[in-house]
Amino acid sequence: SMAASGYAAQNAEGRYVAGPRCDQMGRWNCLRGEQASRVLETQLDTLGRQLNEMIVFAILVNGDWVSLARRQSNQAVRIASQHSDNIYSAATGRTLTAYASVEDTACILSRHGLPGKRWNNIRSRKALQKACEQIQEQGICVIKKPDCGTVMLACPVLLPADAHTN
């Protein structure tokens, strides 16, 4: 039952190891730890002063993005932050999708399906993979909303694969 729910998995030798849900909890706990929180807060404060735009730091959890920290701008006119119900509607969600593991991608697809009209009319896994590869190649996702004069952008914060164990 633990394997079926994603908390355990079998490796090539048939031994049970931590599954994708345990890996997610490990990443989350690493980022929510005291030291990581101080570093994150410091970096967001510095970046927020430099850009003077809203900044969101999010992670992927169970096929959706969860905001761990955010900084609002000091602009006179600000965009109200809204977390979309669909991961594909925001640059943050698309970036998290682009860098998701195979297991996380399966979870995203199970939860949200294919993007369709929410992201360049993507209606196949192959088209989704191509769009994700483009974000990886560019290292950034940009969504322009000319109807309301806004631009959303997101870039990944990549940690070493073993970062949650150190």
Side-chain angles (χ1 to χ4, degrees), residues 14-164:
R15 294 189 155 184
Y16 284 98
V17 296
R21 294 239 175 147
C22 285
D23 288 342
Q24 286 178 346
M25 284 189 291
R27 287 192 305 265
W28 184 318
N29 287 337
C30 174
L31 292 168
R32 293 182 65 190
E34 189 176 322
Q35 181 182 3
S37 292
R38 279 196 307 269
V39 170
L40 179 59
E41 296 295 326
T42 300
Q43 293 300 318
L44 286 182
D45 287 344
T46 300
L47 188 58
R49 282 191 301 275
Q50 292 172 349
L51 298 177
N52 199 21
E53 294 292 346
M54 186 178 74
I55 301 168
V56 176
F57 183 86
I59 62 171
L60 190 60
V61 176
N62 296 327
D64 207 355
W65 62 282
V66 174
S67 175
L68 290 185
R70 67 179 61 235
R71 290 293 173 273
Q72 195 55 261
S73 74
N74 292 323
Q75 303 271 358
V77 177
R78 299 181 203 162
I79 303 298
S81 173
Q82 293 181 339
H83 181 82
S84 173
D85 288 341
N86 191 285
I87 196 167
Y88 307 121
S89 299
T92 299
R94 291 180 187 183
T95 301
L96 288 168
T97 301
Y99 287 89
S101 68
V102 172
E103 295 86 4
D104 286 335
T105 299
C107 197
I108 291 168
L109 288 170
S110 173
R111 183 175 182 115
H112 298 281
L114 289 165
K117 64 182 178 179
R118 290 183 179 94
W119 185 2
N120 298 342
N121 212 23
I122 294 172
R123 300 197 185 281
S124 71
R125 286 181 183 235
K126 186 176 181 178
L128 178 61
Q129 181 179 349
K130 184 176 179 182
C132 289
E133 288 169 356
Q134 288 175 339
I135 291 172
Q136 290 176 9
E137 288 169 11
Q138 295 170 355
I140 192 168
C141 176
V142 178
I143 301 175
K144 296 179 182 178
K145 302 270 189 167
D147 54 322
C148 58
T150 62
V151 175
M152 292 185 286
L153 63 94
C155 62
V157 176
L158 303 173
L159 299 173
D162 63 348
H164 66 279

